[in-house]
Amino acid sequence: MDSLTESEIAQIARQQREAGVQRLSGHFSWPEFCDERRCFHQEFVYDVAMFAAARGFPWPDVIRAAVVAKGLFPQLDDGLDAPKLLSLLRDVLSESLPNLTSVHRHEFTRFLTDACITRRRLLQAVVGGAANTSIAQLHLEVQLPPTPCPLAQGTDLHVWERQRHQTELTSMLLQKEEELKVLRQRSRVTLGEVDVPEDEQLDKEGVLALVRAAVRATEDQILASLTQEASLLSDILELKLQQAALTTGRLHKPSSTGHISSHPDAPTKEKPHSGKTKTGLRESGNAV
């Protein structure tokens, strides 16, 4: 430290950065760190000293600024938050650089604040030993969307919608046909709903009553089955008509009454004109 004279610091300020860091570091001992952090420590001291020299500090104050930076860097650890750091800077400047002018004090304080506050996390990571921490990087494969076809090779929007609608109609038609097939294959009548007494001997009236109940149950079952079958057949016919209309490009409108016209495009017959012609008038409107 005693070897760092005013002429020596002036010569260091005129050198290139790498040579200046090495020459300035030779005037100090560096027991604080023994790994790569020592290099960061030395560069930090050099940057602070060169800032003071560039701002026109007297050479003794430039040397004191280097001493301040050397003692400040090891204290920039995780336990030093922003308020504590500002308080530390204020105390260090008052103790080590009491003769600075107000302009130099303001510039030097702003420089250290920018260096230590705005980059506090970076400096804390360096001082804390993060420089020796290995970082495992994960390489994620990015899946890009498929390249769209040229417009000449694409599908028209109306064609695509028609195809989608056709697919939906086909799916619904297959479902209805399957329901109809299952309905026709299963038994339409079951006698499980008629209670037949096992231990009681029935007379003629009892047998007739039992038969009538069975017939009524059978009629209801057959009617319900036929009604369901008719509904499925109506749905199937409606879906096939929609498919045919979609294929030919003509719009099919389901009939609200359930009746489907065989000539949907037949023109409407106009009503004859019922207006009366006044007697005794010509076309010109004059009386005869």
Side-chain angles (χ1 to χ4, degrees), residues 161-177:
E161 290 180 349
R162 189 182 300 113
Q163 293 175 351
R164 181 178 60 85
H165 192 193
Q166 184 74 29
T167 303
E168 294 177 355
L169 290 176
T170 303
S171 177
M172 295 172 61
L173 180 59
L174 292 177
Q175 180 181 356
K176 294 294 182 181
E177 289 178 344

Side-chain angles (χ1 to χ4, degrees), residues 35-103:
D35 50 15
E36 293 182 358
R37 288 176 290 179
R38 177 177 295 177
C39 297
F40 294 107
H41 191 184
Q42 295 172 351
E43 292 177 356
F44 180 79
V45 173
Y46 174 83
D47 291 337
V48 173
M50 291 305 101
F51 173 82
R55 290 297 185 273
F57 283 26
W59 292 117
D61 288 338
V62 174
I63 296 174
R64 294 188 186 97
V67 175
V68 169
K70 184 178 182 300
L72 179 63
F73 184 83
Q75 301 182 56
L76 303 177
D77 54 5
D78 292 335
L80 192 63
D81 55 9
K84 292 181 180 179
L85 183 57
L86 290 174
S87 177
L88 176 63
L89 290 177
R90 183 170 54 251
D91 295 340
V92 168
L93 292 179
S94 300
E95 179 181 352
S96 301
L97 295 168
N99 298 325
L100 283 179
T101 64
S102 58
V103 175

Side-chain angles (χ1 to χ4, degrees), residues 245-266:
L246 192 63
T247 302
T248 57
R250 292 156 57 183
L251 181 62
H252 170 68
K253 297 182 179 180
S255 176
S256 59
T257 59
H259 175 70
I260 301 174
S261 174
S262 59
H263 301 283
D265 297 332

Side-chain angles (χ1 to χ4, degrees), residues 92-135:
V92 168
L93 292 179
S94 300
E95 179 181 352
S96 301
L97 295 168
N99 298 325
L100 283 179
T101 64
S102 58
V103 175
H104 286 167
R105 179 179 294 276
H106 173 72
E107 292 179 344
F108 193 61
T109 302
R110 185 174 63 179
F111 172 77
L112 288 179
T113 301
D114 292 341
C116 299
I117 299 298
T118 59
R119 292 179 291 178
R120 179 171 59 92
R121 293 184 180 275
L122 177 61
L123 292 174
Q124 287 177 349
V126 173
V127 176
N132 296 328
T133 304
S134 60
I135 300 176

